[in-house]
Amino acid sequence: MTSTGRCALCDGALPPATSEQRRSYCSNACRQRAYRRRVTVTAPMPATRQNLRVLSNLPAARDTFVGRQQELSKLDQLLRRHRLVTLVGSAGAGKTRLALEAAGRLRRGRTDRVLLVELGEITASRDVVPALADALGVTAETDEPLRDTVLETLVNMKVVVVLDNCEHLLDTCAELTDVLLNRCPGVRVLATSREALWITGEVSFPVEGLPVPSTDRDLVTTAAPRSEAVKLFVDRARERKPDFRLSAENTAAVALLCARLEGMPLAIELAARWVRLLPVADICDRMDEPLELLTLGCRKSPRQSSLREAIDWSYRLLQPDEQFALRRLSVFDGGFDLAAATEVCSSERSAEPVLDVLSRLQAKSLVTAVPGTTRFRQLETIRLHAREKLVAAGELDVAYEALARWFTDLSDVLITAPMSMSADVQHKLDNHVDSLLGTVEWAADRADERLLLLTSALADCAARRGRLGQARAMLRDALRRPSTRDDYRCVALNHAARFAAEQGDHDEALELSAEASRLVRTIGQPALVMSSRSTLAAVQQSSGEWEASDKNNTECLRVAELLGEPLARATALVDLARTALSLGKHERAEENVMSALPISRASGVPARIASALNTRGAVALVQGDLDEATHAFQEALRMDGINPLTAPDALEGLAVVALTRGQAERALRLEATGRAMRRSVGVVPNPFWAEKVAGAMRTARLMLPVARADAASTPLSAAETEAFIQDEVWLDRTEAAFDSLDDHERRVVALLATGLTNQQIANRLNVSVRTVASRLHRLRDKLGLRSREDIAAWGAERAIG
């Protein structure tokens, strides 16, 4: 055979060709160079709908992309301004799907082509460049390396390269991306990884779970259909069961399921696959073991075939010290701070090594920093996977022992200074209450001697949340068990007695406090002796034994002053003020509470401050100083909010003030609100206060017709109570037109009636000005009024106080 022509590129002689071959180029090198020349110098075409589309090798979508519109808009802006954007998130967060959707929406202009390079199935670094070359459609030339061929091809092109799943080839991907950005000015890179590439010019874009709806019973019906997480669940559920719909029966269960899965798209999609077999409520009930349930994945992608495999992939990529820390951190349920993590993850007391590991785990999307705090958390699915690894490694008891030691150190104040627990210690215990519960359960299983002390600390946390019944139950169970530590038992007895007294169970309270008093005599701890006497005084006060209570509180005050404990002194003074008030010694009561107030304010504990303010209000009320009483009760409400342990006293006090000023309906409604709060947690007032409030309400009912009094004796809603506390406005609900408004509309009317602008109302309600305007428009239609001023006047006519 002989050559039949010249090369179309270099004009060299063509090699011999067979009858089946038609050659245009003398070599593969000329063929590749001609290809590169064509893609860079092709004449521009007129812009049409068809040629505005970018050439790509992106796979066609097989299902609907749900939500993430704000993320897509932000990504589009970032890709216009930056050449490297990395989507960073944990397993199952939806990084790949978001990247594909963002890349698929690109249009010609700054981009002519999108190249998807899928790295998930690649295990060797040497295969990364060939994967990019394959996506680009070039092969190695005989006289140059494949990487140079790729770079020479891309050098004059406007391309977005999507590097998907970089985490297991991080160094290689970082090096390749660095070269692409340096050598090819028209190239931009959109990467997905569980960890950033950490090269110059990179913008990390965090990808988290979809927004989940409120699971509040009053809000879920309206919030769930708007939630992106719920929309995704419904869409994927219809793929399995086409007639699936949100209904009154399943909405709350779908919302709860999405919330428990923390809005993670992969988990939601896997859960939705079960709707053909199980009702949503049953799927939700099985979420205690999500790694077992969420296993119906796609056959094609082994790493996404189950939630367990997706997380295990991340775990295998960790260094040994990172795996160790992740396992140990799994004992924390609900988050943790650096001090707690240091105790559990290291035998060293220095925080630096643990902080370093935490930062690396955070960078790899396995630990999340809680915004606005110094706390961290794990996604529940990641934590459960790490717990499995902890058990398999035989480290469960070691980790819990370290955590129990940390909680014991925190709780030791219940022995050394039980009446002077600082706000910082309370805050730490409250922030780790779920982990404390797990530690108590672990200690109970092993008959650990620290059980009573840890249970007392946990009961304190429960009581601060208004769960007195739960606190009493856990203490009752712990006290039944044998104990070798009298001091721990004394602490638990004092807590149980005080909680029983607060719920009106006087016989049990007296029995428990008596046992504590007998036991404390053998211990010889002055602070514990003082605490036992204070508990006994509280029990006596709750049953109306004022003289005995006064005697014990006086002794507590003496010991507190000797020990130099200002918080214990403030507690004794407040209790003495209440006792003096009940005994008719008003001046002594005022003197005691005014001495306690500055100390209470300095403590920084809202409940302690509110308690002192409520006592100050009660004293002023008995003395006839209505303005001072009102000021104290209102400040107590603002200080501690709708806390069912402190708010009832304040609301009832304001009810008595209202009656004294002739506002019978207002008095009845405030008292009903306080009574409903007491009922919700089972708290009863002391006999003196109960009789004073009851007498005032009997008078209020006599001032009104029976039907009107009955109508007024219904509690405020939570939103109305919050409005009353925060805005100091009161709305009369006697008219039918007002009853037709929802809580949000009532609050808008109340604020409008005080003369606020739309912007000021929006700031108060934490909504947009547009939302306020929309609510005002609906109010005009609902009330039949013509203008904003008419609504303000209508509200002002019906405002009291």
Side-chain angles (χ1 to χ4, degrees):
M1 291 288 181
T2 60
S3 174
T4 57
R6 314 295 294 179
C7 175
L9 183 68
C10 67
D11 203 35
L14 294 175
T18 65
S19 57
E20 292 81 13
Q21 291 178 314
R22 295 186 61 185
R23 293 185 178 275
S24 299
Y25 303 100
C26 63
S27 65
N28 283 335
C30 282
R31 181 179 293 106
Q32 296 281 358
R33 292 189 181 100
Y35 167 76
R36 292 196 290 271
R37 187 171 296 176
R38 287 198 304 275
V39 299
T40 56
V41 301
T42 302
M45 298 173 59
T48 66
R49 176 181 294 272
Q50 187 171 10
N51 67 34
L52 278 174
R53 298 187 62 181
V54 175
L55 294 175
S56 77
N57 63 336
L58 300 177
R62 301 188 188 187
D63 50 25
T64 307
F65 183 82
V66 178
R68 304 275 200 199
Q69 296 308 307
Q70 290 185 350
E71 289 92 332
L72 286 171
S73 176
K74 182 67 173 176
L75 277 175
D76 181 65
Q77 296 174 22
L78 290 175
L79 286 170
R80 291 173 184 271
R81 297 197 301 265
H82 304 278
R83 296 181 60 207
L84 171 58
V85 178
T86 304
L87 305 187
V88 180
S90 60
K95 302 181 294 295
T96 296
R97 188 60 192 275
L98 179 59
L100 294 179
E101 188 70 17
R105 297 189 180 196
L106 295 172
R107 289 292 180 263
R108 280 189 182 273
R110 298 189 64 208
T111 302
D112 294 330
R113 190 166 179 183
V114 174
L115 301 175
L116 171 62
V117 184
E118 297 179 294
L119 303 174
E121 305 305 319
I122 293 177
T123 58
S125 298
R126 63 178 179 274
D127 294 331
V128 173
V129 172
L132 174 57
D134 183 62
L136 186 56
V138 300
T139 57
E141 298 182 3
T142 56
D143 57 349
E144 65 180 354
L146 179 60
R147 192 178 80 162
D148 292 346
T149 302
V150 169
L151 292 172
E152 190 175 344
T153 303
L154 291 173
V155 68
N156 292 316
M157 296 176 66
K158 293 185 289 185
V159 176
V160 171
V161 178
V162 180
L163 294 178
D164 188 33
N165 293 311
C166 299
E167 56 270 357
H168 59 303
L169 300 163
L170 209 62
D171 291 340
T172 303
C173 290
E175 181 184 358
L176 175 61
T177 301
D178 203 39
V179 172
L180 285 173
L181 298 179
N182 285 338
R183 298 270 297 274
C184 307
V187 169
R188 286 172 288 158
V189 176
L190 177 61
T192 74
S193 177
R194 298 176 194 182
E195 181 178 3
L197 300 182
W198 298 107
I199 61 176
T200 303
E202 179 184 33
V203 176
S204 293
F205 186 88
V207 180
E208 300 174 346
L210 295 168
V212 298
S214 168
T215 55
D216 184 272
R217 183 176 57 186
D218 298 330
L219 302 176
V220 67
T221 304
T222 55
R226 298 195 297 267
S227 163
E228 293 183 359
V230 171
K231 289 178 181 177
L232 178 64
F233 180 88
V234 172
D235 184 85
R236 300 304 187 256
R238 285 175 181 167
E239 293 178 0
R240 300 288 167 166
K241 189 178 181 182
D243 62 344
F244 182 84
R245 296 288 186 276
L246 276 184
S247 65
E249 292 74 27
N250 67 19
T251 296
V254 171
L256 179 60
L257 177 61
C258 291
R260 293 190 66 178
L261 295 175
E262 300 174 276
M264 299 304 284
L266 175 61
I268 291 172
E269 291 183 352
L270 293 175
R273 294 169 183 260
W274 286 93
V275 296
R276 191 166 53 186
L277 301 176
L278 297 171
V280 180
D282 288 357
I283 300 173
C284 197
D285 289 342
R286 288 166 170 77
M287 277 299 112
D288 289 337
E289 297 291 341
L291 298 178
E292 299 298 331
L293 186 70
L294 306 180
T295 57
L296 294 179
C298 173
R299 289 191 182 97
K300 184 177 179 181
S301 178
R303 289 193 298 108
Q304 302 291 78
S305 64
S306 73
L307 196 59
R308 186 191 305 280
E309 287 298 322
I311 298 171
D312 202 51
W313 167 265
S314 294
Y315 182 80
R316 292 196 299 268
L317 295 176
L318 298 177
Q319 298 297 320
D321 62 335
E322 295 168 343
Q323 291 181 343
F324 173 81
L326 193 68
R327 292 195 303 270
R328 290 295 183 89
L329 294 173
S330 69
V331 298
F332 291 110
D333 188 359
F336 53 90
D337 61 19
L338 180 59
T342 300
E343 188 68 41
V344 169
C345 293
S346 173
S347 59
E348 303 293 332
R349 289 292 175 177
S350 172
E352 284 75 15
V354 174
L355 180 59
D356 177 64
V357 176
L358 273 177
S359 67
R360 282 184 273 142
L361 290 174
Q362 182 185 357
K364 296 177 181 182
S365 305
L366 292 168
V367 168
T368 303
V370 179
T373 71
T374 56
R375 289 170 51 75
F376 303 86
R377 62 182 291 270
Q378 293 174 298
L379 290 176
E380 183 64 8
T381 48
I382 292 175
R383 190 184 73 84
L384 291 175
H385 178 274
R387 174 67 68 90
E388 290 181 354
K389 298 293 186 183
L390 183 74
V391 173
E395 300 170 349
L396 183 68
D397 284 343
V398 177
Y400 266 115
E401 172 58 37
L403 188 56
R405 186 168 57 247
W406 186 70
F407 278 128
T408 301
D409 290 344
L410 277 179
S411 305
D412 189 61
V413 67
L414 295 176
I415 298 171
T416 59
M419 296 175 65
S420 301
M421 181 181 283
S422 68
D424 181 58
V425 172
Q426 286 189 19
H427 190 60
K428 278 186 177 293
L429 289 171
D430 288 339
N431 279 342
H432 295 86
V433 65
D434 294 326
S435 301
L436 178 55
L437 173 59
T439 307
V440 166
E441 292 171 346
W442 173 84
D445 290 341
R446 287 153 185 77
D448 192 287
E449 68 174 8
R450 295 166 293 187
L451 174 63
L452 280 171
L453 181 64
L454 295 175
T455 302
S456 298
L458 181 61
D460 252 354
C461 295
R464 282 193 289 272
R465 298 182 178 194
R467 300 170 183 170
L468 286 179
Q470 179 185 355
R472 292 180 66 190
M474 62 179 68
L475 284 167
R476 196 177 291 123
D477 178 68
L479 284 166
R480 290 194 189 104
R481 299 169 183 263
S483 172
T484 60
R485 292 287 300 263
D486 288 347
D487 51 351
Y488 289 175
R489 183 170 183 83
C490 187
V491 169
L493 286 167
N494 279 328
H495 278 73
R498 190 175 288 273
F499 298 152
E502 288 181 356
Q503 292 199 313
D505 195 342
H506 302 299
D507 291 339
E508 181 177 335
L510 190 59
E511 180 183 347
L512 291 166
S513 61
E515 182 182 350
S517 297
R518 288 193 301 270
L519 195 59
V520 79
R521 296 191 193 106
T522 66
I523 297 174
Q525 287 255 19
L528 207 50
V529 172
M530 175 177 63
S531 175
S532 295
R533 295 201 78 154
S534 176
T535 299
L536 180 58
V539 172
Q540 292 164 337
Q541 190 176 102
S542 70
S543 57
E545 301 175 51
W546 307 115
E547 296 288 355
S549 177
D550 185 72
K551 179 180 178 182
N552 281 309
N553 273 321
T554 301
E555 177 62 17
C556 287
L557 179 61
R558 186 187 70 81
V559 176
E561 289 173 343
L562 286 174
L563 295 177
E565 290 191 22
L567 293 182
R569 180 170 175 267
T571 299
L573 285 167
V574 169
D575 287 342
L576 282 169
R578 290 173 183 162
T579 303
L581 192 62
S582 305
L583 292 170
K585 301 174 181 178
H586 301 163
E587 290 184 4
R588 181 184 167 196
E590 182 179 16
E591 179 184 343
N592 285 333
V593 75
M594 294 307 291
S595 297
L597 263 173
I599 307 171
S600 299
R601 290 186 193 278
S603 73
V605 180
R608 183 185 288 273
I609 301 169
S611 178
L613 286 166
N614 281 333
T615 304
R616 171 59 186 138
V619 172
L621 185 62
V622 171
Q623 292 177 325
D625 190 344
L626 299 186
D627 290 340
E628 179 61 28
T630 300
H631 175 77
F633 289 133
Q634 287 179 341
E635 187 181 354
L637 286 172
R638 287 194 296 272
M639 176 59 62
D640 206 22
I642 310 178
N643 180 344
L645 299 182
T646 60
D649 281 344
L651 291 167
E652 290 162 351
L654 289 171
V656 177
V657 170
L659 175 69
T660 308
R661 288 174 169 165
Q663 299 167 335
E665 287 180 86
R666 176 170 178 161
L668 289 170
R669 199 172 300 284
L670 283 173
E671 186 275 336
T673 305
R675 180 162 28 92
M677 285 188 188
R678 288 193 188 279
R679 193 182 304 118
S680 70
V681 294
V683 174
V684 297
N686 71 56
F688 169 80
W689 186 248
E691 178 53 37
K692 182 166 188 63
V693 174
M697 294 309 104
R698 286 193 294 269
T699 302
R701 295 188 70 87
L702 291 174
M703 294 170 63
L704 298 170
V706 174
R708 194 169 173 185
D710 289 341
S713 298
T714 56
L716 298 170
S717 68
E720 288 173 329
T721 306
E722 188 69 27
F724 175 66
I725 292 172
Q726 298 299 330
D727 304 318
E728 297 182 15
V729 294
W730 177 265
L731 297 171
D732 186 358
R733 299 192 300 177
T734 56
E735 290 191 18
F738 193 87
D739 284 334
S740 69
L741 305 183
D742 62 32
D743 290 336
H744 297 295
E745 290 168 334
R746 289 172 186 162
R747 195 164 183 192
V748 168
V749 171
L751 295 173
L752 192 63
T754 63
L756 298 184
T757 66
N758 283 12
Q759 181 64 64
Q760 290 170 328
I761 295 173
N763 294 340
R764 287 285 188 97
L765 300 181
N766 197 26
V767 298
S768 67
V769 177
R770 181 177 295 181
T771 298
V772 174
S774 175
R775 289 179 183 173
L776 289 174
H777 180 77
R778 289 198 303 270
L779 282 167
R780 285 198 297 272
D781 293 339
K782 187 175 287 189
L783 300 174
L785 299 173
R786 293 183 178 181
S787 68
R788 182 182 187 279
E789 290 71 21
D790 289 342
I791 298 173
W794 184 88
E797 289 173 2
R798 288 152 185 82
I800 303 176

